Amino acid sequence: MTSSLNYLMCAPDHYDVDYVINPWMEGNVHKSSRDRAVEQWQKLYGVLKGLVNVELVTPAKGWPDMVFTANAGLVLGDKAVLSRFLHKERQGEEPYFKAWFESKGFTVYELPKDLPFEGAGDALFDRAGGWLWAGYGFRSELDAHPYLAKWLDVEVLSLRLIDNRFYHLDTCFCPLADGYLLYYPPAFDSYSNRLIEMRVPAEKRIAIEEADAVNFACNAVNVDRNVVMNKISDGLKQRITKAGFTVIETPLTEFLKAGGAAKCLTLRTVEVPITSEQADLEPSGVEARIVELTGHLLDSGIINRALDLVTDNGGSFQVLEFNLGEQRQSTSLARIRISAPSHDLMETIMGELIEIGAVLQDRDTSDANLEPVLQDGVAPDDFYVTTIYPTDACVDGEWIRCTNQRMDAAIAISPDGKTATCKLLRDLVVGDRVVVGYDGVRTVRKPEARDNAKKEEFSFMGAGVSSERRVELVVEQIAWELRQIRDRGGKLVVSCGPVVVHTGGAPHLAYLIREGYVQSMLGGNAIAVHDMEQSSMGTSLGVDLKRGVSVKGGHRHHLKVINSVRRYGSIHKAVEAGFVKTGVMYECVKNNVPFVLAGSIRDDGPLPDTVMDLLEAQRLYSEQIRNADMILMLSSMLHSIGVGNMTPAGVKMVCVDINPAVVTKLSDRGSVESVGVVTDVGLFLSLLVQQLKKLDSPVAIAA
């Protein structure tokens, strides 16, 4: 023995693969050789006896995994944190390990019974920095980490495991002497990898390949400059040796069948507490909050979505309460404790939970945090970013509903604290008080909006049931809603691109405007240019739409139209002068339907009416969208996404485009109350007008 270190092992007297609680056990139940396992364990025991003092705990019959003593607990100084096993197949080991720790004079700390933590399998001390690397994701819960920090008085760095083959931290992560680290990066999420890279210098990180990882190369025992491990590749052996370590290989294939190797089979029971210089480090970055969700949580899938986004962002959860609605129309309630390994990740998780309607319960009456704007057009750091959903801010104990609701804005509170307004960054001025963080903020989601979690998307010329009929069905529904909006004096806003003209849809859109279905039109320079080109010259982009052939010199037609309208001074004046006699723009002028044309860098001309000031165009768009009941988006991804970002919840949006990516893109921007129709926009408008004419026709009554 060359070291004063102590290790705990357990003879494999009762070892076998009796059940399946990890991927390695799949297909290996009762397929382990007892004799070979004993032989391999004895070789490991002999190697370690030559390096350290090894103590043994008596194996207990019925608990075959007791041989993996790394999971007995975690030791620091005279303190031992007893494991709380996740699976019932190992929970019976706990009293035996507790008795051993107490017999050796350790002060034993026990976690709550419903809080899994699997000892040194998921908690490893850094050999240079003094902090504790703690894993979570499969066997140990993140909520156990603050207990470790408190009881052991040590800084805890939480690492999330994402590959179930590496279900314990020690299967893919091995801190070595002098601050070196042997690890398999793909086993961790991106945040954990960044944390590792921040703490361990690049020259001391030994990242391994999958071939070595699945041989549990990281499941090694490090004693001074010796690394005891299962067989590894020559390349990895050379890298470890180059770092100044001696590699001692000993085969442990029988234990790999149960998901363990050298480190799993040992527990280091002599760990020196951190030095006084390290004692001022943050004990744990773990934060915990409680949120409440109400609504049709199961039918809408909102509860699964909430839990998934927690884990996808590196957090963990515990469902504290779940009350299921007794009838179909009844709402459900869930109270969930959310934990995150850092404040930044908690901010991300809370922001996304609030977006789907979660309410912070632990501080739901606390005021929102307000910070002043110190520079025009610049919000304070960590300002709350709004969504399309109605949002409340708590000021002086009172919830205030935000006005001008839209996504991607800040919340500005008036000086008297009586009003809250969604403001774009450019509209913020010095002195505004802006909400920062997520405390004192809640969004309001209607149950029917939650039921709409899965977007309707109708595909033309798709497989299965006649997709043409599917388009007809959705057109019938949209036509009925348009009729209702018009008859009650509501507001339909149309956002469209030049494809409307190219596909022959302009006459149908003109019909909608003429018959009073459209109250506002939004587009770009091109829709107006090509509409008036068709009206005055019979072409669109130089193509005769009736014959479908290019006209000689037609590529110049749109420029001639632009030039003529510029001569008249505006589209209105061109219509009044008789230059434009039909079409979309003609009907807008004649029926006093306001329109806004937003310019872009690619525009020819542009037309006198085209707004080339981007910020002014956004403002004018926003004004036209206000109080809309429905927005019909016709083949213009740029304008559709822009309009979607400005539109609050409660406004139905119908997006029509031949490209499925455009339809789904709208949903990706958070515009959830939408219907997507993947079809030719000209065909859609033709079907829509046909259906409206049917609704407008008197019903024949048989004699």
Side-chain angles (χ1 to χ4, degrees), residues 432-449:
D432 280 345
R433 296 187 299 162
V434 170
V435 175
V436 295
Y438 49 81
D439 287 321
V441 178
R442 68 185 183 191
T443 60
V444 180
R445 298 283 295 272
K446 295 180 180 179
E448 56 267 28

Side-chain angles (χ1 to χ4, degrees), residues 181-203:
L181 174 65
L182 185 69
Y183 77 122
Y184 179 54
F188 302 92
D189 67 4
S190 58
Y191 171 82
S192 299
N193 273 304
R194 289 198 304 272
L195 184 59
I196 292 168
E197 291 165 4
M198 289 168 56
R199 289 298 181 108
V200 183
E203 64 272 15

